Structure formats: C-alpha cells, structure tokens
Amino acid sequence: MNDGPVNDGKAPKKERMRFVSAEQVAQLAGVSRSAVSRTFTPGASVAAATREKVLRAAKELGYHVNDLARGVLANQSRLVGIVATRPEVGFRAHLAAALAKALIRRGSFPILINTGQTEEELLAAQKMLIGHRAEAIIILSGSPPPSFLELAQRNGQPLVVIGRSEPDADHVRAGNSEASRMAATAFCKSGRRRLTVIGSNSGTPAIVERESAFVSAAESLGASAVVARGGDSDYQGGVTAGRALFSARIKPDAIFCANDLIAFGLMDVARLEARLRIPEDVAVIGFDDVPESAWLSYQLTTFRQDPLVMAQRAVDLMERRLENPDSPPAYERVIPELIIRQSFKP
C-alpha cells in the first residue's frame, strides 16, 4: 500500500511568498508592534534594551523595513521616474545607469519608464508615471513627447530635463554649440574644406543644435558645410547617410557626427564599402564618447559627455527643487571634452 500523497490530478498549490512582518518581529522580541516601528524610525525614542531585542529578532527572521509602504503613508514615495524613449540605445543607456546609481546613493528608488513609440505604449507609460506617485521626474534627451512633461507639471511633480529645453523645468544640457564650433574650427585649421555634419530625421533638440552650430561655424571660416541625415540617430542612420555621401561625385573630406553611433555606421561604410582611409581621405569626429569609441575597430575622436557628471547635476537640481519648490528654473550646462584618437588628430 502506498502511504505517499494522493495524486488527484490537480497541480500542487503554489505557496504564496510572504515577507516577514513587523508583527512577527514584535512577537519574537516580546515587544509591542509600535516598539518595532520606533526602532526602525530615525530619531524615534526607544529604550536601548528594547532596541537590542528588536534588532536581534529582525536579524534572526531576516526582516527589512518596507520603505515603499512607509513612503506612501508619509506621502513621500522616494520613487523617481527616469523617462526615456529607447533607453537601451547609445549614450542614453549609460546616462540611465548613472542616474540609477546616483539616485540609489541618495536613498531614492529609480523607476525606468520606457515611453515606447506607439500610442498604446505612450498611454501605458503615462499611467505608470502618475500612478506610482513619483517624487520627481527626470526626462532624458531623445523624443519623449511634451505630453509627459505637461502631465508631470499638472500633477505638481518636480521635473528635470536632460538634453532638451522645456519651459518651467530645471535643465541639464551639454555644450552642444561649443563642441560643434570646436569641431568645425579643428577641421578647417587642418586644411579640410568639404565639411559635413550628420544628424538624423528624429530632429531632437540636441541633434538640431549640433547641426546648426557646426554649419554656422564652418561657413564663418570660409568652408562649405552640408547637413546629411539618416533615419534615426543610430548605427543604421550612419550607414544610410554614409552611403549617400560617398556615392556622390564630390565627397566630404571631414565629417562631424551628431553622436558616436552615427559615426560607427559612417566609418564602416567609408572603409568597407567606399574603400576610403580614415583619417587620410576623410576625417571623422563623433559626440558622446561611449565605450565603443575606444575599440580598436573605431578609435574615434569624439566629444566626451560624462554620464556620471550629467547624472549628478540632474540629481542636485532635483534636490534643490524639492527643497525650494517655488524657486525659478535652474540651468546647468556641461561642456564636453574633445578626446583625441585615430579618426582625426587636430
């Protein structure tokens, strides 16, 4: 006879995972529930002997304070929304990671909200943004639509934007125009005269600023300057723009790319399809200094945006806004540094 469990054809019940509660700690420590709460509340009064018993019981049970629930009760969620479109791409990925680290150091809970690119995805992301009662919102460069900013502002959430201009928001921006003028000047001083800047049809504020500043500076120095664009500000955008440029009768001898991903696509087309030498036939400068820029395949000369610096500036602005809600919008500008590698040496 089989004395084991009877199999009645039903799948075994899945046991619900339960976190250790403050009540369980109180029972094990032999104290009240409020004593446990006071022990884990900074500045609250609790006897030393009681504190010791509570901490010993908490350690034995593996208890941790539910900071999220405590924040909701105090109307301070400590959640900070990081809003981005395609956050996995290029510099945005490194900036999102740096923001998460800076916010965790501060004691905040970063929540990454990918806006998506369809109407359904946008609506779901907006619902997430407001439904979680974020303490503040940080919106990255790229193309999160203005509706996200309007929604945050209507709900009274402090707002910091990175790499774009928005009214009534605190800003962190790279020195796009300064870098673009520096690139055009460096090309002209090295004797290059057929200059091109590659942007994208996405038309983000940072891309537009880099394009216009480069063209203006080049023309003021007596060089011709052309704007080329791929579909988006990514590797394929650089491939598309490169194929168009290098199939033309007159080819550029120097190209400033609005970001490094565009530069990588352009450089691969130049060398592998157009059989051009870099920098002898065409010099290339990028923007961002993502880690791949230093790879032996590229050795890209580029302007460095430091994601750690940008992230900390954004968090500083957020804290300033939380402390002084009625202060006028603040503005931080971070000037990129030109990192010299093999694709162009001034």
Side-chain angles (χ1 to χ4, degrees), residues 22 29 38 48 62 93 111 147 154 162 165 172 186 190 202 207 213 229 235 248 251 263 288 322 325 344:
R38 292 197 306 276
I111 175 171
S147 58
R154 280 203 311 271
I162 301 179
S165 294
V172 178
S190 68
S202 63
I207 297 289
R229 296 188 180 101
Y235 179 89
K251 299 174 176 57
D288 284 338
L322 289 168
F344 174 65

Side-chain angles (χ1 to χ4, degrees), residues 292-304:
E292 296 86 346
S293 299
W295 286 5
L296 294 177
S297 302
Y298 296 112
Q299 283 293 298
L300 176 64
T301 294
T302 184
F303 288 95
R304 174 164 175 73

Side-chain angles (χ1 to χ4, degrees), residues 78-106:
R78 304 293 284 176
L79 288 173
V80 176
I82 302 172
V83 179
T85 301
R86 300 180 71 199
E88 74 280 5
V89 174
F91 180 71
R92 282 197 295 277
H94 301 285
L95 181 54
L99 278 167
K101 288 180 182 178
L103 289 167
I104 289 170
R105 279 198 307 271
R106 176 184 180 266

Side-chain angles (χ1 to χ4, degrees), residues 117-323:
Q117 295 177 294
T118 68
E119 186 66 26
E120 185 180 358
E121 289 172 331
L122 290 171
L123 289 172
Q126 288 180 342
K127 185 177 179 181
M128 178 75 71
L129 184 69
I130 299 305
H132 280 75
R133 300 292 190 272
E135 181 182 31
I137 306 294
I138 300 175
I139 296 186
L140 307 194
S141 61
S143 54
S147 58
F148 277 86
L149 291 95
E150 294 161 7
L151 191 61
Q153 289 169 332
R154 280 203 311 271
N155 282 271
Q157 291 168 307
L159 186 64
V160 178
V161 296
I162 301 179
R164 55 194 287 164
S165 294
E166 302 292 345
D168 302 320
D170 296 314
H171 295 74
V172 178
R173 298 190 70 186
N176 296 309
S177 55
E178 293 91 335
S180 301
R181 287 194 293 268
M182 193 185 305
T185 301
F187 281 152
C188 289
K189 283 186 175 180
S190 68
R192 313 273 176 163
R193 282 294 178 269
R194 300 186 308 278
L195 311 187
T196 293
V197 55
I198 300 182
S200 78
N201 291 328
S202 63
T204 63
I207 297 289
V208 170
E209 186 179 357
R210 290 167 202 172
E211 289 176 353
S212 60
F214 182 86
V215 170
S216 176
E219 291 177 347
S220 71
L221 293 167
S224 63
V226 173
V227 177
R229 296 188 180 101
D232 207 343
S233 50
D234 55 12
Y235 179 89
Q236 189 55 47
V239 169
T240 301
R243 284 173 176 161
L245 287 169
F246 299 134
S247 63
R249 186 176 63 83
I250 300 177
K251 299 174 176 57
D253 60 6
I255 300 175
F256 174 49
C257 298
N259 70 27
D260 292 344
L261 296 184
I262 292 173
F264 299 153
L266 169 89
M267 292 172 75
D268 284 345
V269 169
R271 290 182 300 204
L272 302 176
E273 296 184 4
R275 302 299 175 187
L276 297 173
R277 298 168 300 161
I278 299 173
E280 293 85 356
D281 299 322
V282 57
V284 181
I285 296 178
F287 198 107
D288 284 338
D289 195 33
V290 296
E292 296 86 346
S293 299
W295 286 5
L296 294 177
S297 302
Y298 296 112
Q299 283 293 298
L300 176 64
T301 294
T302 184
F303 288 95
R304 174 164 175 73
Q305 290 197 92
D306 189 329
L308 297 176
V309 171
M310 301 283 280
Q312 191 57 56
R313 297 283 181 90
V315 172
D316 290 345
L317 287 178
M318 182 191 80
E319 287 189 331
R320 190 182 308 167
R321 175 62 52 197
L322 289 168
E323 291 171 5

